[in-house]
Amino acid sequence: MLKTSIYGLLLCLIIPSASFAQNTSKIAPKREFRGVWVATVSNIDWPSKPGLSVDQQKQELIGLLERHKANGMNAIMLQVRPAADSFYAKSREPWSQWLMGKQGVAPAPGYDPLEFAIKEAHYRGMELHAWFNPYRATMSANAITHQNHMTKQRPEWFFTYAGKKQFDPGIPEVRDYIVQVILDVVKGYDVDGIHFDDYFYPYKVEGQQINDAATFNRYSDGFADISDWRRNNVNLLIKKLDDSIHFYKNYVKFGVSPFGIWRNKSEDTLGSATNGLSNYAELFADSRKWVQEGWVDYINPQIYFSFSRRVAPFGTLVDWWSNNTFGRHLYIGQAAYLVNQRSEAAWSIPSQIPDQVRYIRNNNRVQGSVYFSSKSFSTIARAVGDSLKNDLYKYPALPPQMPWLDDVVPNAPQQFSAEAKADGVHLKWIKPIKASDGETASGYVLYRFEEGEGIGILNPKNILRISFEEFTSYIDTNAEKGKRYNYLITALDRLKNESDPSGPVGIQR
């Protein structure tokens, strides 16, 4: 993460007028990706410090999820492999030092941070994307690594740049190894996505050189230019991962969050009207090609710039990327961490990020946002969180559909019923029968309507609860006594395709 140094919506029964439907969609889209990065490296976001007890780690994570859920988020990008180490038990790499304070030291037996995070996120109707750093191996020259760390097991796989060890992307065995590391999570955990940030080849540091000449000589594969060769090395990894992830679990999304500028127009006529650091030239990451070839399900460029940033205006880059999505999803990386920073006056304008969200929503080729990073919403960006919670993200949203992965809609839940009891309205149902693709339900959406209110599943303000779990009951404890309500329920499959509704069922509390 680059930092200062990161089928239509189905209606039923009573259909609202066309003008109302369009207005609702414009102001509060029912489908929108709303993500937040949770960085574990150096304990940036979670856990707050190494060595916390299991209960403390769990309490912190639940608090974090509750805050983001209240702000309207529906996805967590959790960093699970910050430096060739792990935040999950089913790993071939040592436990991360940012868990217990020393690399290789396991937390309490039976506790798996990633497994816990997935369960808690899904309970709250939030996707969990496992965020990997593919190439970074150490964070500093004096890093103390475990005996099983790959820098000690296979030292020939690494080069050192600015004091940090990094996997050499040009070595075929390195690419194979990284794919297997990620497949451990794909096969072993119920993740919704696999996510990369912007770190491929390292950002340039004055006086430093990438020591991969010997690798180039050995594995040049017909490339005469080392820069083209480096870009191809990254391309090979991205394509292999896309193929491998979807081979094992077609519903697991694969996305990358590159630096915001692919190439400037001065470098390539296809580039953006910007004058900043180039992903293509500086990091050897041909991010546009990954989208064009369909090797990613979403691209999430880090457009950490204000509207008035002269060399790279936010609007210019959003527009450029929206013209280069090639049918894949585009989520914009937004800089919550820059709110009120002093080096640029624009970040002191309270409406900077809310206006960015509005700008994004005005472009129907952009499907959402991801914010860096989690802790900003409890510190400098609290006001942004309030704007999301009380206005822009006031109503829940489902993640956008990915028809190229799955366009089969699940069947509706069965035997939906409601019963008023002392503690609330008890809602029950039975899982739907399998759809043509073999899926039943991986989650549900409950809708509630007051007496006289139009009944349909278009307007997100009527969403009572979203959960990505297979529960078949719910108690509406917020239903007011003496009032009459109607309820609907729909089923969701793994890629958040939504069924026709069951219901309505009416009840008086």
Side-chain angles (χ1 to χ4, degrees):
M1 207 50 51
L2 181 63
K3 297 176 274 295
T4 48
S5 183
I6 150 92
Y7 287 3
L9 295 170
L10 300 174
L11 302 180
C12 70
L13 301 171
I14 299 174
I15 303 173
S17 70
S19 61
F20 175 76
Q22 291 170 3
N23 186 54
T24 300
S25 178
K26 187 78 168 181
I27 296 171
K30 185 183 167 182
R31 294 275 185 177
E32 185 173 52
F33 196 88
R34 305 170 179 175
V36 60
W37 280 288
V38 177
T40 58
V41 63
S42 302
N43 300 107
I44 289 174
D45 292 315
W46 178 80
S48 60
K49 60 182 178 181
L52 295 179
S53 69
V54 168
D55 284 345
Q56 288 172 320
Q57 289 187 26
K58 287 182 174 181
Q59 288 168 10
E60 283 192 356
L61 186 61
I62 287 172
L64 180 155
L65 294 174
E66 284 289 327
R67 181 169 64 250
H68 296 313
K69 177 65 176 176
N71 286 346
M73 302 298 182
N74 60 17
I76 298 293
M77 328 308 262
L78 178 64
Q79 191 174 33
V80 300
R81 184 187 186 250
D85 52 7
S86 74
F87 271 76
Y88 52 97
K90 301 170 188 175
S91 175
R92 62 189 67 204
E93 297 180 312
W95 286 101
S96 174
Q97 70 181 80
W98 294 292
L99 262 178
M100 303 309 298
K102 184 178 180 181
Q103 195 171 80
V105 175
Y111 169 57
D112 187 324
L114 176 55
E115 194 171 71
F116 179 78
I118 293 167
K119 180 179 181 296
E120 294 296 328
H122 285 178
Y123 171 75
R124 290 168 176 82
M126 306 170 85
E127 291 192 339
L128 195 292
H129 294 230
W131 164 18
F132 291 81
N133 291 89
Y135 297 132
R136 185 169 64 205
T138 64
M139 285 292 290
S140 66
N142 58 359
I144 300 172
T145 55
H146 188 264
Q147 61 183 10
N148 292 333
H149 196 257
M150 289 308 291
T151 54
K152 290 181 176 175
Q153 294 292 308
R154 298 295 298 268
E156 72 276 12
W157 280 5
F158 301 86
F159 58 73
T160 300
Y161 187 89
K164 300 177 183 180
K165 289 188 177 181
Q166 174 163 325
F167 284 92
D168 188 338
I171 300 174
E173 292 86 354
V174 163
R175 297 193 295 271
D176 292 341
Y177 173 77
I178 292 169
V179 169
Q180 292 308 312
V181 166
I182 291 167
L183 288 180
D184 288 340
V185 168
V186 172
K187 292 186 280 188
Y189 294 89
D190 194 22
V191 294
D192 299 285
I194 297 297
H195 182 85
F196 282 178
D197 61 14
D198 54 316
Y199 288 122
F200 292 96
Y201 279 88
Y203 281 90
K204 285 187 178 178
V205 175
E206 191 174 350
Q208 299 289 312
Q209 256 188 327
I210 298 174
N211 186 20
D212 63 350
T215 309
F216 176 53
N217 290 334
R218 184 177 180 184
Y219 300 110
S220 59
D221 196 27
F223 284 91
D225 182 274
I226 195 169
S227 295
D228 291 337
W229 172 76
R230 287 173 179 164
R231 278 184 286 272
N232 187 62
N233 294 332
V234 179
N235 290 343
L236 289 170
L237 177 69
I238 298 296
K239 184 182 188 306
K240 187 167 186 176
L241 271 170
D242 175 57
D243 291 340
S244 301
I245 291 166
H246 294 129
F247 175 81
Y248 285 100
K249 290 183 179 178
N250 190 55
Y251 58 79
V252 173
K253 305 168 184 179
F254 177 41
V256 183
S257 179
F259 179 73
I261 301 172
W262 169 66
R263 302 189 81 181
N264 299 294
K265 187 165 285 188
S266 60
E267 302 168 295
D268 189 317
T269 57
L270 294 175
S272 53
T274 53
N275 293 290
L277 181 150
S278 164
N279 215 348
Y280 183 96
E282 303 280 337
L283 306 178
F284 308 101
D286 192 354
S287 47
R288 181 179 180 272
K289 183 180 180 67
W290 310 334
V291 192
Q292 186 175 21
E293 297 292 339
W295 295 341
V296 293
D297 298 307
Y298 66 85
I299 197 78
N300 179 199
Q302 297 171 30
I303 308 183
Y304 296 167
F305 309 112
S306 67
F307 283 105
S308 55
R309 183 68 176 268
R310 185 177 55 82
V311 298
F314 179 85
T316 298
L317 281 167
V318 170
D319 292 351
W320 184 88
W321 277 105
S322 76
N323 290 328
N324 289 273
T325 59
F326 301 99
R328 292 303 193 243
H329 284 179
L330 170 60
Y331 313 143
I332 304 302
Q334 293 182 255
Y337 77 100
L338 288 179
V339 170
N340 289 325
Q341 63 95 10
R342 297 178 180 179
S343 62
E344 188 183 352
W347 287 109
S348 296
I349 301 171
S351 64
Q352 181 67 226
I353 286 184
D355 284 347
Q356 290 184 1
V357 176
R358 294 182 183 99
Y359 190 88
I360 288 167
R361 283 185 174 172
N362 282 332
N363 188 325
N364 60 15
R365 286 173 293 182
V366 189
Q367 288 80 25
S369 304
V370 185
Y371 301 87
F372 191 87
S373 70
S374 177
K375 76 173 183 181
S376 302
F377 288 98
S378 59
T379 55
I380 57 173
R382 285 194 299 268
V384 172
D386 289 341
S387 292
L388 298 178
K389 179 180 181 178
N390 298 321
D391 181 12
L392 296 164
Y393 292 178
K394 182 177 181 179
Y395 303 122
L398 288 169
Q401 296 153 292
M402 291 185 169
W404 59 91
L405 293 180
D406 179 12
D407 61 357
V408 178
V409 175
N411 287 311
Q414 302 180 86
Q415 298 182 32
F416 184 43
S417 66
E419 184 180 2
K421 294 187 178 182
D423 58 344
V425 177
H426 288 234
L427 302 164
K428 294 182 181 180
W429 59 93
I430 294 176
K431 286 182 69 172
I433 61 172
K434 290 182 180 180
S436 60
D437 61 355
E439 287 196 72
T440 56
S442 298
Y444 298 93
V445 186
L446 282 162
Y447 300 81
R448 187 181 73 183
F449 310 85
E450 295 196 6
E451 190 171 13
E453 192 173 11
I455 301 174
I457 64 170
L458 177 65
N459 196 331
K461 84 178 186 68
N462 294 115
I463 293 176
L464 175 63
R465 176 176 168 81
I466 298 171
S467 174
F468 302 150
E469 290 188 315
E470 296 180 16
F471 71 93
T472 55
S473 64
Y474 179 71
I475 303 174
D476 180 8
T477 58
N478 292 319
E480 296 182 33
K481 288 185 177 180
K483 277 194 171 185
R484 183 171 182 83
Y485 298 95
N486 287 302
Y487 294 88
L488 294 177
I489 186 171
T490 60
L492 299 171
D493 63 16
R494 282 308 306 254
L495 277 158
K496 312 308 180 293
N497 293 306
E498 187 177 16
S499 75
D500 285 320
S502 292
V505 294
I507 194 78
Q508 182 166 328
R509 173 80 200 277

